Amino acid sequence: MLVTLKHAITLLKAQEVVALPTETVYGLAAALHSLKAVKRVFQIKKRPLKNPLIIHLGKKASLLDYASSYPPETFNLIEVFWPGPLTLILPANPSKIDSSIRSGLETAAFRMPDHPLTLAILEEIPALVMPSANLSGKPSPTKAEHVLKDLGENIPVVNGGMCKKGLESTILSHIDNKWWILRLGSLPASVFKPILGYEPKVFALQSSDPMCPGQYLRHYAPEAKLILGDANRLEEADAILGFYEGSYPANKKVYYLGSLETPEEVAHHFYDVLRQLDVFQLKTVFVDVNFPREGIWQTIWERLVRASNNIISEK
Ligand code: TXA
Ligand code: MG
């Protein structure tokens, strides 16, 4: 159900959950101090309790309350990228952040989202926990209607239009004296070089590693089985996920991700197009992966790999 900003604030103050727009994807929000609502967030999303939540702040200075120490360059990073699609993993202040939010880790994830409606809510409620508002494992929602489809018509949603970026925030963590990318996202690695002096690399997570639990699960996946770029298997596919510049067999319907010239637009529409495959009840879809692997394309490639992975790992 769509709700007004004012109603959303009332609900959050009354320990209810509300889905909110951000510039990346829609999130399912609970007030940080409401453990009842935090529990509901896990339940509604069917999210494993060992997968911690991102804390969303309305003011950069709030970090001083919720984090307990600050690796070098923390403040330079937030000065440049907040509000925006950067999440930092920092040592958590345990007296302010319940262990259930952190899934028992000593760190917590923080970001300041860049959407006027959600920033207005954060004026009233200074900290919200907010995972993406999809069912665990599904593509993230980039429209209010995606949230209602996944979580049901009764979930209150503030409609903030289609998310500007369309892919989740980039997650950085400071490990052994360097910043590492724990999750590729809307911000490509190259944007951090002017601040850090180097491009952070993607941290190679071990499956036993508790550092970024959400990263092991099959994720971002439509019902349709995705075949990535193996032309031998084109025949098996009901349809093709491709680009305006591609040439494809005339007997297959093509769902377009956009143009190879405009990766930001591809990112913006990406999850909406993945969700359309399910609307049309496609079983097997061939994906044209003839695109670069740098910048935002690297994130798009990673999401496709995760979405095409048929093994559901709960490690
Ligand atoms: O763009 C975004 O980040 C969106 C919007 C709503 O802000 N949120 C989002 O949240 O993508 P979620 O919960 O779907 O993904 C958060 C990721 C998970 O993979 C989780 O494991 C990781 O952040 N995470 C959270 N706390 C962590 C921590 N303390 N250490 C390592 N990873 C953490
Ligand atoms: Mg998510």
Side-chain angles (χ1 to χ4, degrees):
M1 121 193 82
L2 296 184
V3 296
T4 61
L5 193 69
K6 206 167 150 222
H7 192 192
I9 293 168
T10 309
L11 288 170
L12 288 163
K13 286 186 174 167
Q15 309 216 52
E16 302 285 342
V17 302
V18 182
L20 302 178
T22 81
E23 81 285 23
T24 59
V25 301
Y26 276 75
L28 184 61
L32 178 89
H33 62 264
S34 167
L35 295 186
K36 176 185 157 215
V38 170
K39 204 165 151 195
R40 287 281 293 145
V41 165
F42 281 101
Q43 280 168 351
I44 292 170
K45 273 184 62 74
K46 299 194 170 54
R47 180 175 177 112
L49 293 172
K50 64 188 170 200
N51 192 0
L53 307 176
I54 300 181
I55 296 161
H56 293 67
L57 303 173
K59 292 191 182 63
K60 295 178 191 180
S62 302
L63 201 56
L64 301 172
D65 294 332
Y66 296 107
S68 62
S69 64
Y70 312 92
E73 295 116 2
T74 297
F75 294 102
N76 309 52
L77 286 167
I78 69 172
E79 201 42 52
V80 175
F81 294 108
W82 281 11
L86 172 65
T87 295
L88 294 181
I89 307 295
L90 303 173
N93 177 348
S95 67
K96 285 285 178 90
I97 305 169
D98 190 75
S99 151
S100 64
I101 292 168
R102 303 177 267 121
S103 302
L105 298 174
E106 286 178 358
T107 54
F110 298 95
R111 93 172 186 101
M112 182 175 174
D114 189 13
H115 192 291
L117 297 178
T118 297
L119 285 173
I121 291 174
L122 284 164
E123 292 273 313
E124 301 286 325
I125 299 157
L128 295 166
V129 297
M130 194 155 55
S132 51
N134 50 314
L135 283 176
S136 206
K138 294 275 156 215
S140 296
T142 51
K143 292 177 173 174
E145 69 192 62
H146 297 161
V147 179
L148 296 171
K149 181 103 201 298
D150 264 24
L151 306 183
E153 292 290 329
N154 290 334
I155 290 289
V157 184
V158 174
N159 188 355
M162 192 167 173
C163 301
K164 243 181 355 202
K165 298 283 184 191
L167 295 173
E168 298 80 354
S169 59
T170 300
I171 303 183
L172 292 187
S173 183
H174 198 258
I175 303 162
D176 291 341
N177 289 320
K178 276 209 152 166
W179 289 96
W180 293 84
I181 296 177
L182 285 198
R183 176 177 72 182
L184 289 160
S186 280
L187 291 174
S190 57
V191 301
F192 301 112
K193 192 163 179 193
I195 296 161
L196 304 179
Y198 58 93
E199 273 191 21
K201 295 206 175 64
V202 179
F203 193 80
L205 288 157
Q206 307 298 316
S207 54
S208 56
D209 217 325
M211 262 188 306
C212 202
Q215 300 302 308
Y216 310 119
L217 309 176
R218 179 188 185 217
H219 214 133
Y220 320 113
E223 293 297 323
K225 180 172 169 214
L226 302 182
I227 300 175
L228 301 191
D230 182 354
N232 299 329
R233 296 180 61 193
L234 242 171
E235 269 319 300
E236 285 175 49
D238 305 327
I240 294 172
L241 200 56
F243 298 93
Y244 299 142
E245 293 86 349
S247 49
Y248 307 111
N251 62 343
K252 304 272 181 201
K253 171 137 174 71
V254 184
Y255 292 81
Y256 287 101
L257 286 166
S259 164
L260 293 167
E261 299 292 322
T262 52
E264 279 77 17
E265 277 297 300
V266 173
H268 176 61
H269 292 288
F270 183 73
Y271 288 131
D272 191 41
V273 179
L274 283 192
R275 281 171 177 269
Q276 275 171 36
L277 306 179
D278 288 345
V279 171
F280 292 99
Q281 300 187 338
L282 300 169
K283 297 267 177 296
T284 310
V285 175
F286 176 87
V287 189
D288 178 359
V289 295
N290 207 356
F291 53 78
R293 297 287 187 268
E294 72 223 0
I296 197 71
W297 288 115
Q298 196 189 355
T299 305
I300 293 166
W301 166 243
E302 190 263 357
R303 297 300 194 267
L304 282 169
V305 170
R306 297 273 303 276
S308 66
N309 178 5
N310 288 317
I311 301 158
I312 299 179
S313 162
E314 285 285 328
K315 277 183 205 151

